[in-house]
Amino acid sequence: EAGETLLEINNIEVIYNHVILVLKGVSLTVPKGGITALLGGNGAGKTTTLKAVSNLLHSERGEITKGSVVYRGERVGNLSPSDLVKKGVIQVMEGRHCFEHLTVEENLMTGAYTRTDGKGAVAADLDMVYRYFPRLKDRRRSQAGYTSGGEQQMCAIGRALMSRPETVLLDEPSMGLAPQLVEEIFTIVKDLNEKEGVSFLLAEQNTNVALRFAHYGYILESGRIVMDGPAAELRENPDVKEFYLGVS
Ligand code: ATP
């Protein structure tokens, strides 16, 4: 049911290399059917928060030292990334990670590896991805490494969709892209949210665009949430305007 809580992050602390405290008690919730934005400048801890959810901290010598991550009422802090994918949660990493030497279509198909519901269902989802990203269909036989930055970002999102996720953790989709492409990608995210019911937790430095497309926002500064609210209210907040939207 729309509005029920999917993901809950409760007061987590994250430490890198046993010493550096990067998240200092972060709490947030992601409701079903929403686009929730996690905002903040470079180094605020957005990527760390997403990795704490998808259990990708270990490879960077990071660990959650306090608090919990709960998905649909179940603590998921000890699940592997692929077990989490089976639960419906997938992360699209910053920097559009595609396999450069595979074609776009091969990249998309790698996203379906955890599925057990048969070829027909996977083929239908490939069609769905191509419907939302017609550019990917045009480029489906191209090696991903030779496609544009925008196409690689689309490919990374498309690959995540191939796991039939309930919730997508999307890290900095605007990074390095021209404004028009950022607009195009966010419009598709909004469509996926409205028409396919995919929920998003979106980490973004581009506050302006994120608050136009998200329903709710959290602002992270130096590892702490300093403000949160409905996106429309944050857009009108004088502090947000001054410090994050560049107008006062
Ligand atoms: P960005 O937009 O640059 O990704 P961010 O808000 O996502 O910023 P994080 O990448 O989560 O921020 O980084 C938060 C802090 O943690 C930064 O001070 C960063 O230097 C530090 N940090 C990140 N990864 C590591 C690591 N593997 N080891 C030690 N410190 C790290």
Side-chain angles (χ1 to χ4, degrees):
E1 180 191 332
E4 75 182 293
T5 298
L6 291 179
L7 174 68
E8 259 181 270
I9 301 178
N10 300 311
N11 203 24
I12 56 167
E13 283 186 3
V14 169
I15 285 184
Y16 284 114
N17 293 314
H18 304 292
V19 282
I20 311 163
L21 182 63
V22 168
L23 298 187
K24 302 164 186 167
V26 168
S27 299
L28 62 83
T29 60
V30 175
K32 188 165 176 59
I35 301 177
T36 304
L38 182 59
L39 306 164
N42 214 329
K46 304 181 297 297
T47 298
T48 301
T49 304
L50 298 193
K51 286 184 172 172
V53 174
S54 47
N55 275 316
L56 292 166
L57 288 173
H58 300 293
S59 57
E60 308 204 28
R61 299 174 54 78
E63 57 178 329
I64 299 177
T65 50
K66 202 183 120 188
S68 62
V69 178
V70 174
Y71 194 76
R72 287 191 164 279
E74 180 193 346
R75 283 181 81 134
V76 292
N78 51 4
L79 294 187
S80 68
S82 65
D83 282 340
L84 217 59
V85 172
K86 289 181 196 149
K87 297 237 174 262
V89 184
I90 192 161
Q91 177 158 358
V92 178
M93 309 266 262
E94 186 174 40
R96 332 157 190 140
H97 288 268
C98 288
F99 300 109
E100 293 184 2
H101 300 290
L102 299 184
T103 65
V104 166
E105 187 155 302
E106 287 164 347
N107 265 282
L108 295 175
M109 291 307 288
T110 64
Y113 79 105
T114 52
R115 293 178 57 169
T116 53
D117 53 352
K119 281 188 179 168
V122 171
D125 283 345
L126 188 62
D127 283 347
M128 182 267 291
V129 169
Y130 286 149
R131 215 168 48 245
Y132 284 95
F133 296 101
R135 279 172 185 247
L136 293 184
K137 187 166 190 183
D138 297 339
R139 303 288 265 140
R140 68 188 186 279
R141 309 247 174 267
S142 307
Q143 238 180 279
Y146 290 110
T147 64
S148 71
E151 287 160 353
Q152 289 184 34
Q153 180 65 72
M154 293 175 186
C155 181
I157 298 172
R159 192 178 61 189
L161 293 173
M162 290 302 292
S163 72
R164 268 210 161 272
E166 180 172 53
T167 301
V168 175
L169 312 173
L170 186 53
D171 198 357
E172 207 93 40
S174 77
M175 197 173 73
L177 300 182
Q180 201 184 327
L181 263 168
V182 172
E183 208 65 27
E184 190 177 329
I185 285 174
F186 271 83
T187 301
I188 295 169
V189 164
K190 186 163 183 269
D191 269 3
L192 285 164
N193 170 256
E194 288 175 358
K195 297 180 187 147
E196 307 295 327
V198 181
S199 305
F200 287 88
L201 175 59
L202 175 82
E204 255 305 336
Q205 280 196 50
N206 187 335
T207 309
N208 188 3
V209 74
L211 286 182
R212 277 193 291 114
F213 287 91
H215 303 111
Y216 200 89
Y218 292 86
I219 300 181
L220 196 58
E221 270 177 23
S222 309
R224 287 194 175 87
I225 304 285
V226 293
M227 204 187 297
D228 68 284
E233 283 175 25
L234 291 179
R235 278 202 307 266
E236 297 306 321
N237 180 292
D239 289 334
V240 176
K241 279 187 176 173
E242 184 175 349
F243 296 111
Y244 290 96
L245 297 174
V247 287
S248 53

